[in-house]
Amino acid sequence: MNERMINQFMEMVRIDSESGNEENFIKYLKAEFEKLGGTATIDNYGNLVAKFPEKGCSGKDPVLFSCHADTVQPGKGIEPVLADGVIRSKGDTILGADDKAGIAELLEALRVAEVRPPVEVAITKEEEVGLLGVKALDTSLITAKKGYLLDNDVLDTIIIGGPSYYAIDVTVTGRGAHAGMEPEKGINAIQAASFAIAKLKLGRLDEETTANVGVINGGLIRNGVPDKVTFLAECRSLTHSKAEKLCSEMETIIREETTKNGCKVEIAIDNKCKAVQISPDADVVVVSQKAFKTVGIDAKPVFITGFTDASIHNNNGVQMAGIGIGAKLEHSTDEHIYVEDMETAKNVIVEILRLSAE
């Protein structure tokens, strides 16, 4: 067992860094990268960019590694426990392997790699709440045109594509009234919103397209006609035109159903990222597959309908594949990671560095 890497990982997860509260962890990482001989800069948004010179080679193009600093909730006061080769939290928080395992594996790979090209590292804020950090990243600090996102859970897939994603925030305004004494004077915002939601096509619409309503809030008292409802919807597809068309259809349905029931409606739409597909034969995919084969894993290129920082890096002209870090059951209090998988992931990164220096 690589005690140094495991001890550092357990140290890192004890540093609170829920989305929006990453400052202390970013400062910790800045110091760690500088200890390893890198230069580290915190941009105006609070993202961290570190750079390392080449080692054992010359004249090679830089390679970018990307991870995110934030965790989901509940992520305060994490206490990791190592037993039987598995690291978990005590059970009332997430573990934070997403994405601190990737960071720990990268740090150890940088320590032990005997050869590497110039390396750039981007550690972003607020990935879990909409890729906010990578969108605000000062790209003038990045020169690499190829890279690897260390934020895929499983070790036997390589992410080569992600969806276009639209967030749809809706506010429906009716008119309040006493539900028993004078309901006819009210306009029920919950009912109007319900008609709209019922008309939406939700779930998996085809193999690459999904839609959902995930949150609804409205009403204050049982005996009041509710005057306001908000709900949060989304749609995504691996084909941008499909996601765009579906978003427009959802907006039309919501407007028609709420207004014909006497309500006013406000709809805010945010295209958080645009669909990305890199070739299964892209250099970063081929290098990743070669690296995984050295540890006995036949990693397959896949598309996912979740979105990651890699989508934005690719949108910004950096060819980036997502590779596995070994985390399991992320975003839950059952999140855990096998020490053996962390060691495997670290060895893959070392091999990627070696192959990139050839």
Side-chain angles (χ1 to χ4, degrees):
M1 181 177 76
N2 188 317
E3 291 187 3
R4 180 173 56 190
M5 178 176 67
I6 299 309
N7 289 339
Q8 180 161 46
F9 169 66
M10 295 175 76
E11 178 183 9
M12 289 195 299
V13 300
R14 290 187 178 101
I15 303 172
D16 293 348
S17 60
E18 289 180 346
S19 301
N21 187 40
E22 305 96 333
E23 183 178 1
N24 289 338
F25 184 49
I26 291 286
K27 289 179 178 178
Y28 167 90
L29 290 177
K30 183 176 186 295
E32 290 300 305
F33 285 126
E34 289 172 344
K35 285 179 190 176
L36 292 178
T39 60
T41 303
I42 298 175
D43 71 11
N44 290 336
Y45 195 78
N47 301 300
L48 176 65
V49 176
K51 296 188 177 185
F52 295 85
E54 59 198 8
K55 181 180 178 182
C57 66
S58 62
K60 300 300 179 182
D61 293 332
V63 173
L64 175 65
F65 289 88
S66 182
C67 304
H68 63 87
D70 60 322
T71 70
V72 297
Q73 299 176 2
K76 291 182 179 178
I78 295 171
E79 186 55 43
V81 177
L82 171 59
D84 299 322
V86 184
I87 307 172
R88 308 175 185 272
S89 76
K90 279 190 172 180
D92 54 353
T93 67
I94 51 102
L95 174 61
D98 176 14
D99 188 23
K100 291 180 181 179
I103 299 172
E105 293 154 6
L106 175 61
L107 282 166
E108 189 62 18
L110 290 170
R111 288 189 188 100
V112 303
E114 295 181 358
V115 61
R116 70 184 185 218
V119 172
E120 299 176 350
V121 179
I123 307 291
T124 61
K125 293 177 56 181
E126 298 175 318
E127 186 267 358
E128 299 287 9
V129 290
L131 313 182
L132 303 184
V134 70
K135 287 181 177 180
L137 180 67
D138 183 353
T139 55
S140 71
L141 299 172
I142 304 294
T143 61
K145 297 302 181 185
K146 297 178 182 178
Y148 304 87
L149 176 74
L150 307 179
D151 192 23
N152 181 17
D153 50 359
V154 297
L155 297 174
D156 60 355
T157 65
I158 300 166
I159 298 172
I160 63 171
S164 287
Y165 179 92
Y166 284 88
I168 306 168
D169 295 2
V170 182
T171 300
V172 180
T173 303
R175 185 167 60 241
H178 192 291
M181 300 294 292
E182 47 186 14
E184 61 280 350
K185 292 185 178 180
I187 300 175
N188 193 311
I190 288 179
Q191 186 178 44
S194 298
F195 280 126
I197 293 170
K199 283 287 186 74
L200 298 175
K201 295 177 182 178
L202 302 178
R204 184 169 296 282
L205 307 185
D206 60 38
E207 70 275 3
E208 62 177 27
T209 308
T210 64
N212 188 54
V213 175
V215 178
I216 183 167
N217 289 296
L220 296 173
I221 54 175
R222 185 193 300 271
N223 63 347
V225 176
D227 65 347
K228 183 169 288 187
V229 167
T230 62
F231 65 91
L232 307 181
E234 65 162 51
C235 65
R236 58 182 85 192
S237 180
L238 291 174
T239 300
H240 180 71
S241 60
K242 283 186 180 181
E244 189 175 40
K245 182 173 183 287
L246 178 57
C247 179
S248 177
E249 291 173 352
M250 293 174 73
E251 180 184 12
T252 297
I253 289 169
I254 293 167
R255 289 194 185 281
E256 289 179 350
E257 293 300 316
T258 53
T259 55
K260 82 178 185 182
N261 283 282
C263 289
K264 297 179 181 179
V265 63
E266 297 176 11
I267 304 176
I269 295 173
D270 182 8
N271 181 200
K272 291 186 177 295
C273 60
K274 189 173 181 179
V276 169
Q277 297 186 18
I278 64 174
S279 169
D281 298 321
D283 289 346
V284 291
V285 180
V286 172
V287 169
S288 297
Q289 288 180 311
K290 288 180 179 179
F292 275 105
K293 283 181 180 177
T294 66
V295 295
I297 296 174
D298 183 17
K300 302 295 187 184
V302 299
F303 297 96
I304 63 170
T305 48
F307 57 93
T308 68
D309 279 359
S311 292
I312 307 304
H313 286 301
N314 276 292
N315 289 163
N316 289 339
V318 180
Q319 183 190 84
M320 182 167 285
I323 63 174
I325 60 173
K328 299 182 185 301
L329 300 180
E330 318 90 291
H331 295 202
S332 79
T333 56
D334 293 320
E335 182 185 14
H336 60 281
I337 192 165
Y338 285 80
V339 169
E340 182 181 4
D341 286 344
M342 290 190 69
E343 183 70 20
T344 297
K346 180 266 296 181
N347 290 338
V348 169
I349 298 169
V350 171
E351 185 64 11
I352 287 173
L353 291 170
R354 188 189 71 78
L355 291 168
S356 300
E358 284 186 346

